[in-house]
């Protein structure tokens, strides 16, 4: 049984994709032990509740400074004792102590093909705005392991998505989610649950069925 903690900041459609794949049996031997949001009142917490999963909020607003928030976040993760931490639209800089405590056990979904359109300032809708402004014809999503820097950890899965004439950032965001994010994030968890993923330096190696 792979126990996962899912960290969210907003709507939680990626969280929902994981919940749905567990429910329909695609993700075997995987259990979400806790959902952690850094924002109060987000829909992702409703999704957790509806699925009977413990959801908690650890918001920087409830702590005197960043250090106290970082410590609370680490505690919230440690209490849940997950095998894997899944950042599913978690728009928070991951504190070094969290990375150290869960080294090689944190994955993130990013809405572009890393190393394009990633790093500081590239999150959520901004990523799609920038891809459209640059005029690329193909974008996509990436699941990668999290290390000390932003979007630099070993890449686990990527899926390309076509950009079409007339796309708005919102239309493109939806297509990237439907065609890529909601597919490769559960798939990455499945591969890890099956013990098929190995990190080798900056790369990952996925072993066969
Ligand atoms: C997703 O598109 C995810 O890839 C993105 O935030 C969105 C969250 O949506 N994450 C990042 O930009 C991380 N840099 P959701 O709450 O509906 O899953």
């Amino acid at each position: 049984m792979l126990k996962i903690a899912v960290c969210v900041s907003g709507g939680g459609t990626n969280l929902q994709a994981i919940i749905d794949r567990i429910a329909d049996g695609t993700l075997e031997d995987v259990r979400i032990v806790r959902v952690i949001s850094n924002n109060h009142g987000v829909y992702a917490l409703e999704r957790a509740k509806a699925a009977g999963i413990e959801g908690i909020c650890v918001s920087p607003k409830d702590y005197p400074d960043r250090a106290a928030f970082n410590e609370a976040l680490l505690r919230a993760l440690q209490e849940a004792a997950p095998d894997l931490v899944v950042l599913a639209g978690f728009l928070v800089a991951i504190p070094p102590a969290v990375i150290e405590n869960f080294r090689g056990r944190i994955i993130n979904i990013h809405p572009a093909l890393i190393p394009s359109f990633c790093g500081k300032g590239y999150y959520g809708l901004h990523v799609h705005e920038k891809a459209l402004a640059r005029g690329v014809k193909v974008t996509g999503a990436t699941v990668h392991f999290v290390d000390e820097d932003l979007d630099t950890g070993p890449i686990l899965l990527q899926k390309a998505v076509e950009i079409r004439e007339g796309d708005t950032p919102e239309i493109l965001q939806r297509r990237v989610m439907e065609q890529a994010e909601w597919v490769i994030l559960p798939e990455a968890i499945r591969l890890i649950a099956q013990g098929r993923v190995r990190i080798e330096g900056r790369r990952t190696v996925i072993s066969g069925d």
Side-chain angles (χ1 to χ4, degrees), residues 34 36 71-82 97 101-102:
R34 176 174 271 185
I36 301 173
E71 209 172 288
L73 180 62
L74 176 60
R75 235 183 1 255
L77 284 166
Q78 284 175 328
E79 274 166 20
N101 271 266
F102 293 92

Side-chain angles (χ1 to χ4, degrees), residues 124-146:
L125 206 57
H126 298 303
V127 177
H128 306 294
E129 285 165 1
K130 286 167 177 161
L132 288 174
R134 182 61 186 84
V136 292
K137 302 296 186 190
V138 172
T139 184
T142 302
V143 177
H144 63 93
F145 284 96
V146 173

Side-chain angles (χ1 to χ4, degrees), residues 40 74 152:
H40 287 282
L74 176 60
T152 52

Side-chain angles (χ1 to χ4, degrees), residues 10-15 88-89 91 108-111 122-124 173 177 181:
T13 64
N14 279 286
L15 166 66
L91 308 183
N108 178 51
I109 178 83
H110 183 76
Y122 287 86
Y123 60 91
Q173 180 180 51
M177 284 176 159
E181 296 186 40

